[in-house]
C-alpha cells in the first residue's frame, strides 16, 4: 500500500472516531467516540443547536466509545433540555454504556437540590456559646494546672530553670515598654490634673489636685493602664510567637526532643512579666505624678515644692502597696491567657491572628474585672 493511501486511511479513521451530533427533526443522532479527547466539537455543536418543541429523542446507536467525560456532557444536555420543558427519550443505548450513564445520572445535582445551611435558632446559639465558653474555661483551668505542675518541678530541680529565656523576656516586656508606658501615664496625669483642677479651683481647693492625681494614679490608673498596655503589646506577642510555633510544628519538635514546652515557652514569660509589670507600674506612677505636677504648675500656679509636699501627705504607703500589689496578679493573668491562646492555634496563619485578637480582648477584660474585684475587696477591708 502506498504512503499516500496509508495517510488517507489514517485520516478517515480519525474522522470516523471523532464525536459528532446531528439534529434530524426531533431526533439527535450521536456518533463517534464520546471521550474527553473528542468532546470539544460536540459541545460546540450542542451550544449552537435549536431544539424543536415537544419530545427530543437521543439516538446513541452510533456511539462507539464513551468515558466519564462523554457521559457528563450527555447528562448536562439532558438536564438543560428538561429545564427548558422538553421530554427526553434515549434510544439504542449500548449495555456497556448504560452502567456509566446510570452512575453519572445518580450523581446529578440541581441548583436547588443543594441544601442551604440553616442558621441555628437563638436558644441554640446561646447554648452553643455557653458550651464553647465552658470548654474554654475548663481548658484554661487545666492549663493553669499544668503551669503549677511545671513550676513545682522546677522548684524540685532548680537547674531546669531557663535563666537566659527569663532575662530575654524580661528585657522585651520590661525596659522596651518604658517609652509607651511612660508617655501614656504622663499624658494621663496631665488630663486628670487639668480636668480636676478646673473643678477644684471653683471651690478654692486647687492644692488638692495633688491628692486627686496622686491617689488616682497610684491606686488605680497606673497599674490598670500599664496592664492594658502590656496586654496589647506583650500578651499579644506571646500568643503570636507560640501560635506561629504551633503552625510550623516547632512545639511538636520540642516535645520530640524531650524539652517540655511549658518549661521553655511559658514559665520564662510568666516569671519575667511578674517581675516587669510591678516595675513598670512604679514608673507609670512617677510619670503620672510628673504630668499632674506640670499641669498644676501651668494651670493652677502651684509650685513644684508645694505639690511634692502635698503628695507626701496624700499618698500613704498602704495606697502605694495597693497599686503595686495588683501588678503581679495582672501580669499572671496576661501571661497565662496569652500563652494559652497561643497553644490553641491550629491550621494556618489565619488562626494566629484570630487567637491573638482573642488574647488581647480576654486579657484586658480579665484585668478590668479583677481590678473591680480588688476595689470591692479593699473597700470592704477598709484599705
Amino acid at each position: 500500500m502506498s504512503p499516500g493511501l496509508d495517510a488517507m486511511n489514517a485520516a478517515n479513521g480519525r474522522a470516523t472516531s471523532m464525536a459528532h451530533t446531528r439534529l434530524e427533526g426531533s431526533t439527535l443522532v450521536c456518533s463517534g467516540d464520546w471521550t474527553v479527547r473528542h468532546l470539544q466539537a460536540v459541545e460546540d455543536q450542542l451550544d449552537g443547536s435549536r431544539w424543536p418543541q415537544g419530545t427530543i429523542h437521543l439516538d446513541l446507536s452510533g456511539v462507539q466509545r464513551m468515558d466519564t467525560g462523554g457521559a457528563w456532557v450527555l447528562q448536562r444536555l439532558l438536564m438543560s433540555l428538561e429545564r427548558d420543558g422538553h421530554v427526553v427519550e434515549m434510544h439504542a443505548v449500548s449495555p456497556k454504556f448504560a452502567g456509566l450513564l446510570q452512575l453519572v445520572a445518580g450523581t446529578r445535582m440541581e441548583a436547588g437540590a443543594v441544601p442551604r445551611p440553616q442558621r441555628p435558632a437563638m436558644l441554640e446559639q446561646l447554648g452553643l456559646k455557653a458550651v464553647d465558653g465552658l470548654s474554654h474555661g475548663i481548658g484554661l483551668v487545666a492549663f493553669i494546672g499544668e503551669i503549677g505542675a511545671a513550676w513545682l518541678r522546677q522548684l524540685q530541680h532548680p537547674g531546669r530553670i531557663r535563666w537566659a529565656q527569663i532575662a530575654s523576656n524580661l528585657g522585651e516586656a520590661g525596659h522596651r515598654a518604658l517609652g509607651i508606658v511612660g508617655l501614656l501615664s504622663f499624658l494621663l496625669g496631665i488630663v486628670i490634673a487639668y480636668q480636676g483642677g478646673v473643678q477644684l479651683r471653683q471651690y478654692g481647693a486647687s492644692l488638692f489636685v495633688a491628692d486627686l492625681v496622686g491617689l488616682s494614679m497610684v491606686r488605680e490608673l497606673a497599674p490598670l493602664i500599664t496592664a492594658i498596655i502590656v496586654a496589647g503589646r506583650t500578651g499579644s506577642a506571646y500568643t503570636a510567637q507560640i501560635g506561629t510555633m504551633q503552625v510550623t510544628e516547632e512545639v511538636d519538635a520540642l516535645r520530640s526532643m524531650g524539652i517540655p514546652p511549658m518549661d521553655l515557652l511559658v514559665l520564662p514569660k510568666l516569671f519575667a512579666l511578674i517581675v516587669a509589670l510591678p516595675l513598670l507600674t512604679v514608673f507609670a506612677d512617677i510619670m503620672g505624678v510628673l504630668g499632674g505636677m506640670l499641669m498644676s504648675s501651668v494651670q493652677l500656679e502651684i509650685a513644684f515644692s508645694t505639690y511634692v509636699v502635698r503628695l507626701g501627705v496624700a499618698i500613704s504607703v498602704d495606697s502605694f502597696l495597693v497599686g503595686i500589689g495588683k501588678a503581679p496578679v495582672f501580669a499572671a493573668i496576661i501571661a497565662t491567657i496569652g500563652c494559652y491562646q497561643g497553644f490553641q492555634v491550629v491550621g494556618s496563619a489565619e488562626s494566629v491572628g484570630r487567637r491573638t485578637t482573642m488574647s488581647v480582648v480576654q486579657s484586658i477584660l480579665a484585668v478590668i474585672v479583677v481590678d473591680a474585684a480588688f476595689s470591692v475587696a479593699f473597700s470592704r477591708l477598709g484599705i
Side-chain angles (χ1 to χ4, degrees), residues 136-137 139-148 234-235 238-239 242 262 265-267 269-271 273-274 328-344 359 362-363 366-367:
H136 172 76
L140 184 58
V141 171
F143 186 74
I144 294 173
E146 293 180 14
I147 292 177
T234 307
Y238 289 171
T239 304
I242 298 177
M262 258 326 151
L265 301 179
V266 178
L267 292 182
K269 293 178 172 58
L270 178 62
F271 293 156
L273 201 58
I274 288 177
V329 180
F330 293 163
I333 292 173
I334 294 169
T336 301
I337 294 178
C339 293
Y340 172 73
Q341 291 294 343
F343 281 107
Q344 299 306 303
S359 170
Q362 292 178 2
S363 297
V367 164

Side-chain angles (χ1 to χ4, degrees), residues 73-302:
V73 171
L74 190 60
Q75 183 63 40
R76 187 172 59 185
L77 174 63
L78 294 176
M79 294 172 60
S80 175
L81 292 174
E82 290 174 357
R83 281 197 302 266
D84 294 339
H86 297 90
V87 178
V88 182
E89 296 181 359
M90 289 194 296
H91 305 281
V93 181
S94 174
K96 62 181 180 180
F97 302 148
L100 181 60
L101 292 173
Q102 184 177 3
L103 176 63
V104 174
T107 60
R108 64 182 294 181
M109 185 168 290
E110 301 282 352
V114 179
R116 294 185 178 180
Q118 295 183 353
R119 183 179 180 85
M122 183 179 299
L123 290 178
E124 185 178 355
Q125 293 183 31
L126 181 62
L128 292 174
K129 290 182 179 180
V131 171
D132 183 65
L134 180 61
S135 175
H136 172 76
I138 294 174
L140 184 58
V141 171
F143 186 74
I144 294 173
E146 293 180 14
I147 292 177
W151 179 63
L152 291 177
R153 287 195 302 269
Q154 288 196 351
L155 288 181
Q156 295 174 355
H157 306 281
R160 300 177 61 177
I161 299 177
R162 308 277 179 166
W163 295 108
Q165 282 74 21
I166 292 177
S168 175
N169 285 283
L170 185 59
E172 181 64 31
H175 75 272
R176 294 183 183 178
L178 288 175
I180 183 64
V181 171
L183 177 61
L184 291 183
S185 300
F186 183 79
L187 295 177
L188 188 59
I190 290 177
V191 171
I192 295 174
Y194 177 78
Q195 298 294 338
V198 171
Q199 303 301 321
L200 292 174
R201 185 166 53 185
Q202 298 178 5
Y203 301 96
S206 300
L207 184 59
F208 290 99
V209 71
D211 300 55
L212 176 63
V213 174
L215 286 175
S216 60
M217 289 299 300
V218 169
R219 288 183 65 97
E220 291 294 335
L221 294 181
L224 185 60
I225 194 66
T226 304
I228 291 175
I229 294 172
V230 170
R233 181 186 179 278
T234 307
S236 61
Y238 289 171
T239 304
Q241 178 188 358
I242 298 177
T244 303
M245 294 180 68
Q246 282 278 97
V247 173
T248 57
E249 300 182 354
E250 294 180 56
V251 176
D252 294 334
L254 290 176
R255 292 192 180 99
S256 66
M257 291 186 293
I259 302 175
M262 258 326 151
D263 294 352
L264 184 63
L265 301 179
V266 178
L267 292 182
K269 293 178 172 58
L270 178 62
F271 293 156
L273 201 58
I274 288 177
V275 174
L277 195 57
L279 299 177
L280 288 174
T281 302
V282 174
F283 181 67
D285 291 337
I286 296 173
M287 296 303 295
V289 168
L290 289 178
M293 181 187 299
L294 177 62
M295 180 54 64
S296 299
S297 175
V298 173
Q299 182 186 18
L300 304 176
E301 299 180 354
I302 298 176

Side-chain angles (χ1 to χ4, degrees), residues 23-95:
L23 188 60
E24 299 178 353
S26 61
T27 301
L28 181 67
V29 179
C30 305
S31 61
D33 292 346
W34 281 57
T35 59
V36 173
R37 185 179 179 182
H38 306 106
L39 288 178
Q40 184 60 50
V42 172
E43 293 182 341
D44 294 340
Q45 294 172 9
L46 293 177
D47 291 340
S49 300
R50 294 184 179 181
W51 306 102
Q53 298 295 327
T55 303
I56 303 296
H57 302 275
L58 297 182
D59 183 4
L60 304 181
S61 59
V63 177
Q64 301 174 6
R65 289 191 298 173
M66 180 182 294
D67 60 7
T68 307
W72 272 113
V73 171
L74 190 60
Q75 183 63 40
R76 187 172 59 185
L77 174 63
L78 294 176
M79 294 172 60
S80 175
L81 292 174
E82 290 174 357
R83 281 197 302 266
D84 294 339
H86 297 90
V87 178
V88 182
E89 296 181 359
M90 289 194 296
H91 305 281
V93 181
S94 174

